[in-house]
């Protein structure tokens, strides 16, 4: 009884046209029309993976967590009841907007709206056509990348995401935020992807620090780096992480303090995985350039 993968992300932002340009011309996603007041974007055969709607939040508005079928959704509903977590069922209008067959709506302990769903729409009859040079993104059973959730109480968040939603700890990185400040980040998996969600008490007034997209090739990363560098959005240079071994860079989205990680080549979690602790985020690289450009 656990979440299977991260299915979609919805953002509420002040500058929708800037996000449209960012996601298509910089990142390479495919514009996929609209649902209500939200612009939709594709990364693969799914009808959509990222939605952007107008709003003052300038942050993640909701995250879609996927299970395999109706029976799995009912098992998650039972688990939420047993844990005393309040939820509602998405009505027909919301299911049509999200293009899913069933939906539970709830919040994590610190107010992030979550949608547990099954039965997403796929569009193999309309092949994915990137809007910028990228060969494609790694999704499938691993879902659409990951996000790093900023929380005031990591232990409380860990209890919810592991004991209720069924995520499993991959490892911990003690991240240096200053000469005398270290913040432990807990990386959680629900499938072969090293982490689908990470939890950390970062001192920023946002729901997430960043979301990550995994490209098919290292050249995809290089081309994207050049595009985002030309746009003046790079916040950290290429590097390789200590825990999942991803080669990536970070760039600022049009919403201040929200970043995207664009990467390739992570290792996956299997039955031989052992939980460990790291004291550095990168083997090499990931030098910060924020404020230097």
């Amino acid at each position: 009884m656990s979440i299977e993968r991260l299915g979609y992300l919805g953002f509420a932002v002040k500058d929708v046209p800037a996000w449209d340009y960012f996601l298509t011309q910089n990142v390479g996603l495919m514009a996929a029309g609209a649902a209500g007041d939200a612009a939709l974007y594709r990364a693969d055969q799914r009808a959509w993976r990222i939605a952007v709607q107008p709003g003052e939040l300038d942050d993640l508005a909701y995250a879609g967590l996927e299970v395999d079928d109706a029976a799995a959704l009912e098992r998650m509903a039972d688990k939420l009841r047993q844990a005393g977590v309040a939820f509602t069922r998405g009505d027909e209008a919301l299911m049509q907007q999200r293009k899913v067959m069933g939906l539970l709506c709830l919040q994590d302990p610190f107010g992030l709206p979550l949608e547990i769903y099954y039965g997403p729409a796929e569009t193999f009859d309309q092949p994915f056509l990137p809007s910028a040079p990228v060969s494609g993104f790694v999704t499938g059973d691993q879902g659409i990348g990951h996000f790093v959730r900023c929380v005031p109480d990591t232990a409380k968040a860990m209890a919810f995401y592991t004991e209720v939603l069924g995520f499993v700890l991959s490892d911990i990185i003690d991240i240096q935020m200053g000469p005398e400040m270290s913040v432990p980040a807990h990386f959680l998996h629900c499938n072969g992807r090293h982490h689908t969600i990470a939890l950390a008490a970062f001192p920023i007034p946002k729901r997430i620090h960043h979301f990550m997209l995994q490209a098919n090739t290292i050249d995809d990363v290089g081309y994207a780096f050049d595009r985002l560098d030309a746009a003046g959005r790079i916040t950290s240079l290429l590097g390789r992480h200590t825990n999942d071994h991803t080669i990536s860079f970070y760039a600022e989205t049009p919403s201040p303090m929200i970043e995207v990680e664009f990467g390739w080549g992570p290792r996956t979690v299997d039955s031989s995985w052992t939980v460990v602790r790291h004291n550095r985020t990168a083997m090499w690289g990931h030098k910060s350039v924020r404020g230097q450009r």
Side-chain angles (χ1 to χ4, degrees):
M1 290 189 293
S2 67
I3 300 302
E4 298 292 340
R5 59 197 67 87
L6 175 63
Y8 55 75
L9 296 170
F11 293 87
V13 306
K14 294 178 180 178
D15 193 340
V16 173
W19 267 85
D20 179 79
Y21 187 90
F22 174 78
L23 291 175
T24 56
Q25 303 307 305
N26 292 156
V27 175
L29 300 185
M30 175 184 176
D37 63 350
L40 305 180
Y41 301 89
R42 288 177 55 189
D44 56 9
Q45 79 280 1
R46 290 286 173 86
W48 70 283
R49 289 292 195 174
I50 291 180
V52 177
Q53 65 193 46
E56 293 300 306
L57 189 65
D58 243 2
D59 203 342
L60 185 66
Y62 57 87
L65 304 176
E66 187 176 329
V67 294
D68 285 336
D69 53 33
L73 190 70
E74 292 310 309
R75 289 194 293 271
M76 285 304 306
D78 288 341
K79 198 170 182 182
L80 293 172
R81 289 190 197 95
Q82 292 167 12
V85 176
F87 69 91
T88 60
R89 292 185 182 270
D91 60 19
E92 189 63 32
L94 183 59
M95 288 191 290
Q96 288 187 11
Q97 185 174 5
R98 299 290 192 260
K99 304 182 189 298
V100 301
M101 297 170 65
L103 184 68
L104 306 177
C105 301
L106 60 146
Q107 293 186 350
D108 79 2
F110 303 104
L112 174 64
L114 300 175
E115 299 176 357
I116 303 175
Y117 73 93
Y118 84 97
E122 295 198 332
T123 54
F124 283 107
D125 55 312
Q126 303 171 46
F128 169 66
L129 296 174
S131 300
V134 59
S135 66
F137 298 93
V138 176
T139 57
D141 287 343
Q142 294 189 16
I144 182 68
H146 71 244
F147 66 88
V148 174
R149 175 79 171 104
C150 302
V151 295
D153 186 335
T154 305
K156 186 174 181 179
M158 278 288 292
F160 172 77
Y161 280 97
T162 59
E163 296 171 19
V164 180
L165 299 188
F167 285 85
V168 179
L169 180 66
S170 298
D171 46 40
I172 297 172
I173 301 180
D174 293 308
I175 299 177
Q176 289 298 127
M177 304 295 291
E180 299 181 359
M181 181 181 181
S182 176
V183 175
H186 293 67
F187 295 81
L188 309 178
H189 67 269
C190 60
N191 52 55
R193 188 179 291 279
H194 174 275
H195 58 283
T196 289
I197 292 174
L199 305 170
F202 292 142
I204 61 174
K206 293 290 183 178
R207 288 172 167 173
I208 66 170
H209 175 271
H210 73 265
F211 67 98
M212 184 268 190
L213 298 173
Q214 181 184 340
N216 284 343
T217 73
I218 187 64
D219 285 332
D220 291 331
V221 176
Y223 290 130
F225 181 91
D226 283 351
R227 292 193 300 273
L228 285 153
D229 186 35
R233 292 198 173 277
I234 299 297
T235 56
S236 74
L237 302 178
L238 282 169
R240 188 162 206 165
H241 282 305
T242 52
N243 59 350
D244 66 359
H245 296 185
T246 297
I247 295 175
S248 65
F249 67 89
Y250 291 76
E252 189 172 59
T253 72
S255 295
M257 291 183 283
I258 302 293
E259 299 184 5
V260 64
E261 180 185 6
F262 198 104
W264 166 85
R267 56 179 176 166
T268 55
V269 174
D270 59 23
S271 60
S272 65
W273 188 265
T274 300
V275 175
V276 298
R277 195 164 195 141
H278 305 271
N279 61 10
R280 289 177 58 89
T281 60
M283 300 181 196
W284 54 264
H286 282 151
K287 178 182 177 182
S288 176
V289 294
R290 183 181 291 279
Q292 300 177 29
R293 298 189 161 206

